[in-house]
Each structure stands twice: as C-alpha cells, then as structure tokens.
Amino acid sequence: MTTKEEDRLSRARDYAAQCLRDEAKAVNDLIGQLDENFDRAVEMIFHCHGKVIVTGVGKSGNVGAKIAATLSSTGTPAFFINPLDIYHGDLGVMTGDDVVLALSNSGQTDELLRFIPIVLHQHIPIIAMTGNASSLLAKYADAHILVRVAKEACPLNLAPTSSTTAALAMGDALAVALMEVRDFKPRDFAQFHPGGELGKRLLTTAADVMKTDDLPIIPAEMHLGEAIIHVSKGKLGLGVSLRNERVEGIITDGDIRRAMERWQSQFFDHTVRDIMTTHPKCVAPTTKVTEIQRIMNRHKVHSVLVTDQEGHLLGIVDHYRCFFN
C-alpha cells in the first residue's frame, strides 16, 4: 500500500462527513424551492380518483419506487412502473382517473420522454419532479416540482448522490403533505401496516396487555409497614386502594420511599391514605398502547390503571407491558 493510499484511508471518515454535509445542505435548500407547483401537485393527487403512477429510469426509478411505496402506505394508492415496460403490455394499467409522477434529474431522459406522449394522448395529468425547470419534462407537466441541487456529494460531481437524496426527501415531503391534507390518523396507518411491530403497537389495546391476576389491592386504612409487603409481592411497584370496588387511590414505591425519608421513625404510624394519590392515571380497556405510551411519557409514570366507566379496576398496564410486550 502506497503512502497516498494510506493517507486517503486515514481520511475516510472526513470524506463521509463531507458527503453528509453536502447532502444535508441539498435537502435544506429544497425548502426555498417549494412553490405553487408543489401546492398544485398535492391538489392533483388529493383529487385523483384513480392511482398515482410513479415512473423514472435508473437511479430516479429507484427513488420513484420508494416514493410510490411511501404514498401507498400513507393513504395514496400508488405504484411504480418502468417506462420501458409500457411498450410491453403495461400500458393497460393506466386510466384517465390516474396521475403520473415522473422523476428525472435532468428532465431530458430519452426513455421517459418517449413515454410522455402516450400519457398525454390518454389525457392523464403529469407531475414532473426534476432538477431542471427548463427541461422538456417540466414543459409538458401540469405541475413541475423543482428539485435542484448545487452539486453532487460525489467528489467528481458525477454520481447521483445529493440529487437522489433530494428527490427522495421531496417525495417524503409530498407524502407528508398529503397525510396532513387527508387528516391521516394512526388508525389509518395501522390499516396499511397490519403486520410487524409497528402494526401491532397501533392496533394493541390496554385490554390486550394489562395484568389482571393477583393485583396489589390494599385498603386505605392499612399501615405503611404492611403496605410495603403487598407492594413488593405485587411486583409492579405500586398498590391500589379500592372503595366500593372503585379505584380510590394509588401508592407507589416512590411514595413509600419519600414517606420514609419524611417521617422516619413515625413512618409505621401512618396509613396508605396518608400518602396515596387520589386521582391516578386511568385508561379504558380500549385505549391504544401508543396512547398509553404518550401518557406515561407525558406524566412520567411507569404504570396506568385500566378501569371501566364506573371506575372499577380491570387491570394494570406497567411500563414493561406497554413498551416491550
């Protein structure tokens, strides 16, 4: 290995850092390129009664496939098609109710431009995403989303790097804007992601994960010395007091610790009622686990009680069951 090669290897991390800086700048510069064309594109897709047909060649095609997948998973029916396949039977998938989203950094890609007259003949509206506002593709489009980068992150300024990252980010921006316009909710997202951990969390409710057996129930009149034992046996770090079978209050191991520090030798003279929280965090059995996670994070609690409409205790969801079940 030559000295020059060793020197370049030692600077590999510097090259990588510069690449990330260049690509981050390219994405950030897109904000200034958002204009009425972007608004028009969102409106076209929102009012589309068919599907979004995403197309592109080479690296733009790879980016287009990802954009199509993102749109489909966020409430906008879309799929990717290679323009070359149009000439071999795939033309039949397009209808007048569709919208075409065509990607090309130069806007002059020959294979894509040969596909455009077919789209125009069928009166299918076109959204172009290019880095060249003067290109033929931009000229023929009903809406042109400009995705221009100052330079590629490639040291030769040749390999598609910043341009593909920018196009990918603009595709995400388009999908997110449509999600907001559609008022797309977590329950909608779950319908498109029924499998995997994400879908599971979006569909799982308190009733699915709550502990229902051997709950640490302690009367409000119980002395704290005895309450410690029950809290410990419950292995949830808490005890629940009921009155007329309804939740009256809750104590946690943190409450007990603070009481011991405060009262010291008089600690054993006090009862659960003296330290319990009378309005603990309670959720319905139909509450989604994702909402319970937000409650725990917002209020900095490690457990919530699951109750019915009358306040009867049905179960307990602790931090482990909520985040790792």
Side-chain angles (χ1 to χ4, degrees), residues 13-123:
R13 194 181 302 173
D14 295 333
Y15 302 144
Q18 185 58 49
C19 174
L20 294 175
R21 280 192 290 268
D22 289 342
E23 296 201 359
K25 184 178 186 305
V27 171
N28 192 60
D29 287 346
L30 294 179
I31 297 174
Q33 298 178 41
L34 295 173
D35 58 16
E36 65 277 1
N37 276 280
F38 183 87
D39 300 339
R40 190 178 306 123
V42 171
E43 185 176 358
M44 288 168 62
I45 296 176
F46 179 69
H47 291 297
C48 174
H49 296 294
K51 52 198 173 296
V52 178
I53 300 173
V54 187
T55 186
V57 178
K59 300 298 188 297
S60 293
N62 295 332
V63 172
K66 190 274 177 186
I67 292 174
T70 300
L71 288 171
S72 292
S73 68
T74 53
T76 300
F79 69 90
F80 175 79
I81 188 170
N82 190 312
L84 299 177
D85 293 333
I86 287 295
Y87 305 102
H88 301 283
D90 285 358
L91 183 61
V93 303
M94 296 193 301
T95 72
D97 290 330
D98 298 333
V99 170
V100 166
L101 173 60
L103 282 74
S104 169
N105 184 42
S106 67
Q108 302 287 140
T109 306
D110 183 62
E111 299 92 335
L112 198 57
L113 291 177
R114 285 191 282 119
F115 164 59
I116 296 304
I118 300 174
V119 179
L120 294 175
H121 179 70
Q122 294 195 33
H123 304 288

Side-chain angles (χ1 to χ4, degrees), residues 62-274:
N62 295 332
V63 172
K66 190 274 177 186
I67 292 174
T70 300
L71 288 171
S72 292
S73 68
T74 53
T76 300
F79 69 90
F80 175 79
I81 188 170
N82 190 312
L84 299 177
D85 293 333
I86 287 295
Y87 305 102
H88 301 283
D90 285 358
L91 183 61
V93 303
M94 296 193 301
T95 72
D97 290 330
D98 298 333
V99 170
V100 166
L101 173 60
L103 282 74
S104 169
N105 184 42
S106 67
Q108 302 287 140
T109 306
D110 183 62
E111 299 92 335
L112 198 57
L113 291 177
R114 285 191 282 119
F115 164 59
I116 296 304
I118 300 174
V119 179
L120 294 175
H121 179 70
Q122 294 195 33
H123 304 288
I124 299 174
I126 300 172
I127 299 170
M129 188 183 294
T130 83
N132 182 3
S134 301
S135 64
L136 285 174
L137 183 56
K139 176 183 176 181
Y140 288 119
D142 297 274
H144 174 245
I145 300 176
L146 183 63
V147 187
R148 183 172 53 215
V149 299
K151 69 182 186 71
E152 299 287 2
C154 163
L156 303 177
N157 196 29
L158 294 174
T161 44
S162 295
S163 59
T164 50
T165 299
L168 196 65
M170 186 62 81
D172 287 342
L174 189 61
V176 168
L178 284 161
M179 288 176 70
E180 290 292 340
V181 172
R182 296 186 194 282
D183 194 24
F184 199 76
K185 299 296 186 183
R187 62 177 178 273
D188 303 312
F189 196 84
Q191 292 178 359
F192 295 100
H193 299 77
E197 187 62 25
L198 182 56
K200 177 184 175 183
R201 291 208 174 278
L202 289 169
L203 295 172
T204 302
T205 65
D208 297 322
V209 299
M210 66 183 182
K211 178 180 173 62
T212 58
D213 58 326
D214 299 324
L215 298 179
I217 307 300
I218 53 178
E221 293 74 22
M222 178 180 287
H223 282 85
L224 292 179
E226 187 178 355
I228 292 177
I229 300 174
H230 288 270
V231 170
S232 179
K233 285 183 177 180
K235 297 181 179 179
L236 293 174
L238 58 83
V240 183
S241 174
L242 303 181
R243 183 177 184 182
N244 296 327
E245 299 184 353
R246 292 181 174 84
V247 173
E248 181 182 21
I250 184 176
I251 65 168
T252 67
D253 46 13
D255 295 328
I256 294 173
R257 183 178 63 255
R258 286 185 289 272
M260 294 179 72
E261 293 174 352
R262 176 185 176 187
W263 289 316
Q264 298 185 15
S265 60
Q266 285 79 39
F267 170 78
F268 293 97
D269 299 329
H270 290 272
T271 65
V272 170
R273 188 180 302 280
D274 295 330

